[in-house]
């Protein structure tokens, strides 16, 4: 069956722009603002940045394109899309497992993503109340510790964040996902630019230092750990391997050029990560803080900078609004595959499907919350529930699904049709083939193995 001949079974994005903003909204998230800067900080800055850039374009982009392509052919939720497309290619129905694992992954990730989204939302109010005024490192760690220790407090914010996510998703693809991203994404761009300008203005020479830290390549700093982390992060950052982009592709019309759209989304994702670095590191350097302070960078280190400078409270509020927006445009994408599945496979309408899935995710989220306080002693394989979920999803489910998708797309599907659909000439399709048949699968297998040896 050639592309475009399967029947359209449900709604569509209203425009290419709307789709692109929604996909970029999914991609741009905590990964760009929270994870990327601290990883760059820990792994020697520019060397990591360059490796990450290469991984985004060489590994991330082809998988992104394939997820959309398969989703657009199937026009259904990821599980039934995989099944239908596999059958149309005369392959086993069991390829649907890619969809099953993907949906499961997005479901589980949302349960802890919502917890961190809740932290970001609460920090808007903490910054506004002046909690960080003239605070020192001891103080911010104390704030963060107390915050994590308070179950009811965390629960409130997790609930609020999850409710906001559900409210948007319940409205549907056009009125919910697309419209909210059309509002939040430009808002996010403006906030980010304001922050970079502000950071450059208040931190003086430290801005140059931050710039060099991020952009002056020093290849000697690259080691295998940095390469693998960059590879894994490219995956996470583009929301790959979770059925999300496949679900988004299922609402996509035939007229959209996948490669050029993917290129724009990858560029936007990368630019936001870089600009976040340029907003954060000047403040870190100007205040003589540690760039390599790890996951606490934006919740523990950055507030010290906000507390110590003129106008820091405003900047802090802006920063955490920005973080909340970014998290929200990703969390709605995490909920979509499950809702799409329930909507299509049960008699539930969109609203009830959203309500039920959100409730279950909210409950699992509570187990994550408890792992920071009451249940912190409960460990399996030396990991608490939160770490366990993170490990299971980003180290195992995501790469597995990504691997399945690329093997399916490169070895199981008719390549002539793909070449036609992607509108690539023979030269570029040759490159595409080498990437998708060999380089990408091998890279993923290496990440998988490494993830287990760690
Ligand atoms: N891509 C998002 C980010 O960078 C995270 C995410 C992962 C979103 C998986 C959806 C699915 O933060």
């Amino acid at each position: 069956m050639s592309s475009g001949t399967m029947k359209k079974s449900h709604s569509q994005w209203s425009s290419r722009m709307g789709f692109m903003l929604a996909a970029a909204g999914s991609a741009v998230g905590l990964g760009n603002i929270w994870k990327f800067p601290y990883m760059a900080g820990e792994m020697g800055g520019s060397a990591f940045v360059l490796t990450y850039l290469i991984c985004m374009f060489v590994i991330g982009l082809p998988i992104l394109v394939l997820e959309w392509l398969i989703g657009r052919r199937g026009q259904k939720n990821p599980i039934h899309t995989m099944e239908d497309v596999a059958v149309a290619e005369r392959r086993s129905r069991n390829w649907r497992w890619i969809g099953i694992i993907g949906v499961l992954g997005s479901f589980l990730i949302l349960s802890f993503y919502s917890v961190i989204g809740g932290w970001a939302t609460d920090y808007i109010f903490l910054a506004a109340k002046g909690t960080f005024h003239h605070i020192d490192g001891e103080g911010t760690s104390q704030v963060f510790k107390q915050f994590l220790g308070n179950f009811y407090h965390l629960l409130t914010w997790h609930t609020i964040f999850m409710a906001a996510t559900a409210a948007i998703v319940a409205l549907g693809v056009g009125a919910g996902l697309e419209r909210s991203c059309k509002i939040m994404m430009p808002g996010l761009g403006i906030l980010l630019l304001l922050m970079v300008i502000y950071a450059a203005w208040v931190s003086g020479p430290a801005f140059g230092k931050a710039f060099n830290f991020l952009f002056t390549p020093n290849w000697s700093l690259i080691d295998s750990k940095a390469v693998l982390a960059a590879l894994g992060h490219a995956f996470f950052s583009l929301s790959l391997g979770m059925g999300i982009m496949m679900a988004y592709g299922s609402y996509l019309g035939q007229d959209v050029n996948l490669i050029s759209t993917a290129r724009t989304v990858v560029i936007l994702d990368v630019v936001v990560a870089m600009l976040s670095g340029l907003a954060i590191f000047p403040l870190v350097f100007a205040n003589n803080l540690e760039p390599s302070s790890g996951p606490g960078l934006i919740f523990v280190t950055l507030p010290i900078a906000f507390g110590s400078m003129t106008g820091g409270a405003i900047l802090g509020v802006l920063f955490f609004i920005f973080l909340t927006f970014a998290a929200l445009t990703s969390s709605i994408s995490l909920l979509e595959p499950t809702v799409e599945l329930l909507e299509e496979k049960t008699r539930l309408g969109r609203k009830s499907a959203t309500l039920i899935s959100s409730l279950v995710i909210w409950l699992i989220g509570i187990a994550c919350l408890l792992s920071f306080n009451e249940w912190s002693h409960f460990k399996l394989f030396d990991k608490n529930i939160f770490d366990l979920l993170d490990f299971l999803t980003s180290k195992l489910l995501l790469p597995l699904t990504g691997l399945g998708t690329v093997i399916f797309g490169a070895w199981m599907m008719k390549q002539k049709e793909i070449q036609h659909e992607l509108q690539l000439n023979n030269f570029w399709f040759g490159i595409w083939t080498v990437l998708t048949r060999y380089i990408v699968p091998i890279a993923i297998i290496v990440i998988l193995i490494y993830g287990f040896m760690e």
Side-chain angles (χ1 to χ4, degrees):
M1 186 175 299
S2 77
S3 59
T5 49
M6 276 184 188
K7 74 174 192 327
K8 262 191 257 161
S9 62
H10 54 16
S11 46
Q12 289 209 345
W13 305 103
S14 69
S15 62
R16 173 178 179 263
M17 188 62 175
F19 164 66
M20 212 171 68
L21 286 178
S26 171
V28 171
L30 297 168
N32 303 62
I33 307 161
W34 168 64
K35 232 173 162 183
F36 171 78
Y38 85 69
M39 289 174 90
E42 281 178 338
M43 272 167 277
S46 57
F48 174 79
V49 174
L50 262 173
T51 321
Y52 160 76
L53 276 180
I54 297 170
C55 293
M56 288 289 278
F57 283 93
V58 174
I59 316 275
L61 192 138
I63 306 182
L64 180 60
V65 169
L66 274 177
E67 286 206 18
W68 285 345
L69 184 143
I70 296 172
R72 176 160 78 176
R73 291 217 186 158
Q75 303 268 320
K76 289 196 181 127
N77 66 78
I79 300 176
H80 296 93
T81 279
M82 276 310 304
E83 187 166 317
D84 285 4
V85 175
V87 169
E89 299 278 350
R90 300 185 190 288
R91 305 289 173 180
S92 156
R93 276 180 198 282
N94 282 329
W95 284 101
R96 70 173 181 276
W97 279 95
I98 293 178
I100 298 174
I101 301 176
V103 173
L104 186 71
S106 63
F107 187 82
L108 291 177
I109 288 188
L110 183 52
S111 66
F112 68 84
Y113 204 81
S114 164
V115 172
I116 307 181
W119 298 355
T121 324
D122 185 32
Y123 265 64
I124 302 176
F125 295 93
L126 288 184
K129 277 195 307 208
T131 312
F132 305 131
H133 196 59
H134 291 311
I135 203 166
D136 58 6
E138 191 71 20
T140 51
S141 314
Q142 208 54 37
V143 169
F144 193 57
K145 248 217 204 110
Q146 269 174 9
F147 170 76
L148 286 187
N150 187 336
F151 169 71
Y152 290 103
H153 190 85
L154 290 185
L155 179 66
T156 310
W157 290 104
H158 164 54
T159 309
I160 293 174
F161 190 84
M162 202 54 222
T165 304
I168 298 175
V169 173
L171 290 175
V173 171
L177 303 180
E178 184 170 339
R179 204 169 47 184
S180 64
C181 287
K182 275 187 175 157
I183 300 169
M184 284 192 277
M185 291 306 284
L188 212 129
I190 294 169
L191 283 177
L192 186 54
L193 283 180
L194 279 178
M195 281 182 325
V196 174
I197 295 169
Y198 199 90
W201 180 43
V202 294
S203 52
F207 190 79
K209 201 167 159 200
F211 195 89
N212 284 337
F213 177 72
L214 285 170
F215 300 118
T216 310
N218 179 351
W219 290 103
S220 66
L221 286 174
I222 296 240
D223 59 8
S224 61
K225 183 163 166 260
V227 175
L228 288 162
L231 209 56
H233 188 60
F235 243 88
F236 184 82
S237 185
L238 286 172
S239 311
L240 299 173
M242 262 157 299
I244 292 179
M245 291 304 181
M246 220 178 257
Y248 275 27
S250 77
Y251 300 114
L252 196 54
Q254 293 303 325
D255 48 332
V256 173
N257 181 314
L258 299 182
I259 299 239
S260 69
T261 313
R263 197 171 45 209
T264 315
V265 169
V266 174
I267 291 174
L268 280 175
D269 195 43
V270 161
V271 167
V272 173
M274 304 290 157
L275 288 179
S276 301
L278 276 186
I280 293 173
F281 287 116
L283 304 179
V284 170
F285 288 131
N287 290 280
N288 292 320
L289 302 170
E290 258 322 300
S292 57
S293 56
L297 185 66
I298 64 174
F299 290 108
V300 177
T301 309
L302 208 52
I304 307 173
F306 295 144
S308 69
M309 62 204 201
T310 355
I314 302 174
L315 188 64
V317 171
L318 285 183
F319 180 82
F320 289 109
I321 293 181
F322 167 60
L323 191 64
T324 306
F325 270 15
L328 202 54
T329 55
S330 297
S331 65
I332 54 180
S333 76
L334 282 162
L335 187 51
E336 181 57 35
T338 310
V339 170
E340 189 185 29
L341 175 69
L342 282 185
E343 202 185 355
E344 286 172 9
K345 278 295 132 186
T346 64
R347 295 172 45 194
L348 296 172
R350 176 103 190 161
K351 292 206 168 57
S352 347
T354 310
L355 186 68
I356 292 177
S357 15
S358 318
L359 270 178
V360 179
I361 292 170
W362 176 76
L363 280 174
I364 306 178
I366 294 180
C368 295
L369 279 183
L370 286 166
S371 71
F372 291 110
N373 34 71
E374 326 286 328
W375 290 1
S376 57
H377 53 278
F378 175 79
K379 296 223 159 117
L380 209 63
F381 306 116
D382 211 25
K383 289 182 163 50
N384 65 24
I385 299 174
F386 181 88
D387 295 335
L388 213 55
L389 277 176
D390 185 28
F391 177 83
L392 181 71
T393 50
S394 20
K395 295 262 164 65
L396 185 66
L397 299 185
L398 256 81
L400 262 184
T401 323
L403 181 63
T405 309
V406 78
I407 290 179
F408 182 77
W411 294 96
M412 300 289 136
M413 294 176 77
K414 290 181 206 75
Q415 299 299 300
K416 269 268 160 284
E417 285 174 7
I418 292 189
Q419 178 173 10
H420 178 73
E421 190 164 345
L422 298 181
Q423 299 168 23
L424 292 174
N425 63 25
N426 285 340
F427 172 74
W428 283 107
F429 194 69
I431 293 185
W432 167 270
T433 307
V434 174
L435 282 180
T436 55
R437 289 207 152 173
Y438 306 102
I439 297 183
V440 177
I442 291 171
I444 301 177
I445 291 171
V446 176
I447 312 185
L448 263 169
I449 296 174
Y450 181 81
F452 272 92
M453 289 184 336
E454 235 182 332

